[in-house]
Amino acid sequence: MNYLDFIRQYANHPNYKAPRGNKLHARSWQTEAPLRMLLNNLDKEVAEDPANLIVYGGTGQAARDPEAVKKIIKILLELDNNHSLLVQSGKPVGIVRTHEEAPRVLIANSNLVPKWADWEYFNRLKERGLIMYGQMTAGSWIYIGSQGILQGTYETFVACGKKYFDGDLSGKLLVTGGLGGMGGAQPLAATLAGATFLGIDVDPERIKKRLDTKYLDIMTESYEEAVNIVMKAKEEKKAISVGLVGNAADVLEKLLADGIIPDIVTDQTSAHDPVNGYVPSGMSLEEAIDLRKSDPKKYRELAIKTIARHVRAMLEMQKRGSIVFDYGNNIREFAKEGGVENSFDFNGFVPEFIRPLFCEGKGPFRWVALSGDPEDIFETDRALMEAFPENKHMVRWLQEAQKKVAFQGLPSRICWLGLGEREKAGLIFNELVKSGKVKAPIVIGRDHLDCGSVASPNRETEGMKDGSDAISDWPLLNLMSNTAGGATWVSFHHGGGVGIGYSQHAGMVILVDGTERAERCIKRVLFNDPAMGIYRHADAGYEEAIGVGNRFGILKDILE
Amino acid sequence: MNYLDFIRQYANHPNYKAPRGNKLHARSWQTEAPLRMLLNNLDKEVAEDPANLIVYGGTGQAARDPEAVKKIIKILLELDNNHSLLVQSGKPVGIVRTHEEAPRVLIANSNLVPKWADWEYFNRLKERGLIMYGQMTAGSWIYIGSQGILQGTYETFVACGKKYFDGDLSGKLLVTGGLGGMGGAQPLAATLAGATFLGIDVDPERIKKRLDTKYLDIMTESYEEAVNIVMKAKEEKKAISVGLVGNAADVLEKLLADGIIPDIVTDQTSAHDPVNGYVPSGMSLEEAIDLRKSDPKKYRELAIKTIARHVRAMLEMQKRGSIVFDYGNNIREFAKEGGVENSFDFNGFVPEFIRPLFCEGKGPFRWVALSGDPEDIFETDRALMEAFPENKHMVRWLQEAQKKVAFQGLPSRICWLGLGEREKAGLIFNELVKSGKVKAPIVIGRDHLDCGSVASPNRETEGMKDGSDAISDWPLLNLMSNTAGGATWVSFHHGGGVGIGYSQHAGMVILVDGTERAERCIKRVLFNDPAMGIYRHADAGYEEAIGVGNRFGILKDILE
Ligand SMILES: NC(=O)c1ccc[n+]([C@@H]2O[C@H](COP(=O)([O-])OP(=O)(O)OC[C@H]3O[C@@H](n4cnc5c(N)ncnc54)[C@H](O)[C@@H]3O)[C@@H](O)[C@H]2O)c1
Ligand SMILES: NC(=O)c1ccc[n+]([C@@H]2O[C@H](COP(=O)([O-])OP(=O)(O)OC[C@H]3O[C@@H](n4cnc5c(N)ncnc54)[C@H](O)[C@@H]3O)[C@@H](O)[C@H]2O)c1
């Protein structure tokens, strides 16, 4: 297809959309795949704000600007398999000579030399058009809508239930803030896990979106109504979810004043970005948007103040018996800045619930059917259930997901798998593509939040056993290993999740096109990628990781 | 050879030494090469302090600890060409599945999440054995002794002569501090460039080492003697070099007091590390070493005070007519911390002299004869002079180098080459190995200080045209590109040159073993690597880089 026709059909705002079917527009699936996934990230079914190329997580973008999107598309339509495109903070900046089993796209987003790595400096560069915030999967073209985070959130809530409520969340009230791109998965994850749910968001549009996608049951603007519904549901042990329009700090304080102490409290407002994410108390959303532009300094001050109140309320609930945890938005750090000395008195969700999974190489494995046909995903679901019948937890998840998860954009699935399992799943999918049982190639990727791909001392690497939280050699080794192994695109970002200055992390996506080339790459990449988690946690002294590593025979030259 | 015999013969402190000859100890040259280069970095002819595995640049190490050295050796002796070794801050932490045209070793050194990236935090991690400072070529196994920096320093002094002294440095006095691993190249570079030279170092052992290797003509402990010799030489326009034992801050102040204003003033003390590098005034070297251990905080305070005096003296000399420039040790930053508000009033050497070279993709290309036979290097010299007869500057450099540069460790050569030239040189060397004209394979590498491999706002990327100094997407893209292209080992470091917090940079070394595999890798890596410099500088708006890029046809999809 002619480049201009292609742009008209697929890359015309507000109608960004990945092509469907098994006809190639690019020269091979190796370039067609990143092309479709970039467009899928921008699809209005998927992205939070496609007009500004924002996909999720505050200001996480897929590309620098519309010009950059077009150039990337043009290059991907023409690129052969002996070259690779370089993307610098969402803008194409070069093409290098590579080979068939090397990545087709090499991406670096939002990276700053440490001494200069804060939001203020970043935003100045951004205003000058020199940089972009890539979050995790936004700038690396493997965001798949709220469903992406759904299983992770579900696993977290289930783990919380196991750890603190004898495995039973029925009749338990979970209260949280933020129903945005990621946070929007919370209501469905909570009800799937059996809990009663109250979520607070200042932006009614965001809440409405969750209603539309069936992630949320009820929306209201009335505090009283919300409280009545959830208190009744709690009593009746009904897994119901309510979205309340309001400021999370205000609502938590009101609940405290009314003596309502939830069983579980957490938060997924965009607190990681106190200027362009978190909304201060005492103003409408419109006023907030205006102030952001007219006086970002003032805005930041107010946001920090509200964050401090917000966290104080969470701490008070903890004191009165709630299970409280930070859900990866760095809210404790900014509360500390706002004067809450003991803001780190509640734990992050990773050391609380996720690290044991990381020690098995488990993480947010996900895949997308490039055909656009939901049947292809169901085919992969079936194949997985057949291949891992002993993994009851996974089988149940896949069944539930088929029933309750609405696809957004290209059909996709997420399912946390560990070392060995990921490689096996990749090879199975490759056979499905080869045999024609699925109609077009699949891509497999993951969040940057994974066992061996991120350094983020306030989140993924909080409280590591050996104190190595801040050492970021690990995500860099992950990047090199996936580049060397032949992922189809790789990425390295800074500031995802917790904001500029606080994290560094690597992403990868691999094409499954039924070829022998793909088979070779899968055997390398989908083994190595979770193995990095084993190496990282074994080095830090986690017995579980050492056990898994020994079982796979990959630690003998390393530990001895 | 048996592993234990190998260790006894080559890795026994203080006799670390690369094997010579063309007999393999590892399973292929792809692993033999990094093995030899690691050991060569630790060779006492090469390393500043092999007892502590310190190679150069303050505390720049080749490996975490002796245990790690041995493990790396053991793994490299056994590794096949379908796997790669992971090195995390000088320690082997894993082995991943890769392939014949992927790097055999993947290295990440000293990397910290930005918010935690300062010396204090770093040193605490270091004390706990969790991290290592890799400098640039120390931790990436391609340091080749003072000769490595020699041409760079020579090019800088020559460029300074061209810019400020009508191309004639005879009768000009150049004064500098620091005659350590890198700084030790200054006297020879200065006299090669025709200048009279006075270098100040607190450590007589360091100065003696320069005498031994013929980089320096005269050593003295007497200020009066030193001044008499250089003032006389200046008058007689004699290119003579004097090394004076003393503290640079003290000596510069004395010179000012005596009304001696040098023509050129710079500095290469280890100011980038105010605790383990720079020595405060008013104490002997031994006292300094004691204080470092007993009270690092106090030490740091004193060092910062001396640095402030040191830079004030440099600024005063500038005022009185000297050409003054920062030589990449971040001394201005720490002087600012010490209260010298206008410390950045003199420029860094990169914007002053080096950036025009970077805009042609030129940088510190270097190669090493793994045979250990100097004749192999002379053979490569000859081949280059034949292949680039029009490059008179290069031909003269190679002739001078043959006469005046003593090899340290494995024979090697450095020669700044640009885009196109590097690939061509690599292919020529591959033919020399194939035909047996050189007796064993060669490795080609470079400093991390190169056109497209580093973000360092106080040094390599100081004052970029578009203000993108601190954006470190570029060295990451360089890393990915060299990993994808098939360099033989790649590395990503933090804090090289200017210290923890201030830089991020990528290294690469490629094996030239006369095979078709090497030819393919050379065509990719040695083209892409300098092309990154073109992309980086073209994106920042440098016309020269755009010109070169257009000449090579690599910007058409990017700029249009
Ligand atoms: N735990 C995880 O696995 C994980 C994963 C990704 C992101 N995160 C973090 O979670 C946060 C949310 O991510 P997202 O993608 O949903 O971001 P988003 O920007 O799409 O959504 C944030 C939501 O918070 C709302 N909000 C802002 N301030 C508020 C306030 N004071 N009271 C109530 N609502 C408020 C906004 O209206 C918005 O709907 C981010 O900080 C992100 O980094 C966590
Ligand atoms: N410009 C470049 O291309 C370049 C390249 C590499 C390194 N550097 C920087 O140059 C500096 C020196 O590197 P190196 O490898 O030579 O380090 P080094 O540690 O080997 O040598 C530093 C020398 O400075 C001396 N010294 C310390 N304090 C002193 C003082 N107050 N007065 C006099 N002498 C003093 C030490 O005795 C030592 O000999 C480092 O900061 C390094 O990062 C620059």
Side-chain angles (χ1 to χ4, degrees), chain A residues 385-552:
Chain A
M385 292 191 260
E386 237 177 78
F388 300 97
E390 72 289 358
N391 190 339
K392 298 237 159 56
H393 185 73
M394 184 204 79
V395 171
R396 219 190 99 223
W397 161 256
L398 290 175
Q399 286 164 342
E400 285 292 310
Q402 289 193 351
K403 273 183 276 175
K404 302 205 178 148
V405 176
F407 292 128
Q408 299 166 262
L410 291 172
S412 62
R413 185 67 77 220
I414 179 163
C415 179
W416 284 46
L417 293 179
L419 181 61
E421 295 174 334
R422 299 199 205 184
E423 181 193 6
K424 190 171 165 187
L427 292 172
I428 290 170
F429 293 176
N430 202 43
E431 280 305 313
L432 291 180
V433 176
K434 192 175 164 185
S435 69
K437 283 193 186 145
V438 310
K439 294 165 209 77
I442 287 170
V443 291
I444 296 176
R446 56 160 174 77
D447 196 2
H448 295 204
L449 174 157
D450 195 6
C451 52
S453 57
V454 48
S456 182
N458 287 351
R459 199 166 102 169
E460 287 88 342
T461 52
E462 174 175 355
M464 291 294 289
K465 208 168 176 175
D466 62 346
S468 60
D469 310 19
I471 295 178
S472 55
D473 293 332
W474 298 98
L476 284 155
L477 290 174
N478 181 264
L479 171 75
M480 292 182 229
S481 153
N482 286 331
T483 308
T488 309
W489 61 102
V490 292
S491 53
F492 198 84
H493 293 194
H494 160 221
V498 283
I500 293 298
Y502 293 94
S503 62
Q504 291 174 294
H505 34 91
M508 75 87 199
V509 183
I510 186 166
L511 170 70
V512 178
D513 62 359
T515 61
E516 281 172 29
R517 186 204 54 76
E519 189 180 317
R520 284 192 298 274
C521 291
I522 287 167
K523 281 183 180 162
R524 296 188 295 245
V525 171
L526 292 182
F527 183 84
N528 296 338
D529 193 41
M532 284 302 311
I534 301 302
Y535 292 138
R536 202 267 173 269
H537 290 86
D539 190 67
Y542 289 89
E543 289 302 331
E544 305 87 325
I546 294 171
V548 175
N550 282 332
R551 194 141 50 73
F552 280 85

Side-chain angles (χ1 to χ4, degrees), chain A residues 59-247:
Chain A
T59 54
Q61 289 179 224
R64 185 97 58 92
D65 50 41
E67 194 51 42
V69 177
K70 292 206 178 106
K71 259 190 203 171
I72 292 170
I73 290 173
K74 181 153 197 288
I75 292 170
L76 287 177
L77 285 171
E78 293 166 4
L79 199 74
D80 66 29
N81 288 343
N82 286 313
H83 288 87
S84 305
L85 167 64
L86 308 175
V87 175
Q88 183 261 319
S89 282
K91 178 183 165 192
V93 294
I95 291 167
V96 288
R97 301 176 180 174
T98 54
H99 55 81
E100 279 262 331
E101 301 191 23
R104 292 282 70 79
V105 191
L106 307 169
I107 300 173
N109 286 327
S110 331
N111 296 285
L112 287 173
V113 176
K115 190 74 185 180
W116 290 263
D118 57 46
W119 275 119
E120 211 193 313
Y121 196 90
F122 176 89
N123 285 332
R124 265 187 285 155
L125 290 174
K126 194 183 159 183
E127 267 158 40
R128 299 167 66 178
L130 295 171
I131 204 163
M132 161 192 110
Y133 185 52
Q135 259 287 12
M136 290 190 153
T137 53
S140 55
W141 311 342
I142 186 69
Y143 183 69
I144 52 172
S146 294
Q147 61 175 317
I149 201 68
L150 185 64
Q151 198 202 11
T153 312
Y154 170 75
E155 298 269 356
T156 304
F157 292 163
V158 168
C160 177
K162 278 201 188 127
K163 189 161 173 182
Y164 293 109
F165 301 97
D166 286 330
D168 182 10
L169 286 178
S170 68
K172 304 297 172 211
L173 174 61
L174 190 158
V175 173
T176 186
L179 296 174
M182 304 256 90
Q186 295 179 104
L188 181 52
T191 52
L192 279 175
T196 305
F197 177 92
L198 174 62
I200 309 134
D201 199 297
V202 280
D203 185 349
E205 288 307 313
R206 298 304 192 95
I207 304 186
K208 222 172 274 164
K209 193 156 185 172
R210 306 314 147 208
L211 269 185
D212 293 347
T213 52
K214 303 211 174 92
Y215 273 55
L216 181 75
D217 300 320
I218 298 162
M219 169 171 174
T220 175
E221 308 236 347
S222 151
Y223 168 82
E224 284 70 28
E225 191 188 347
V227 165
N228 287 340
I229 300 173
V230 297
M231 292 315 281
K232 191 157 166 266
K234 178 176 155 70
E235 231 185 82
E236 294 170 357
K237 303 203 171 200
K238 267 199 194 151
I240 268 185
S241 60
V242 177
L244 168 62
V245 183
N247 189 294

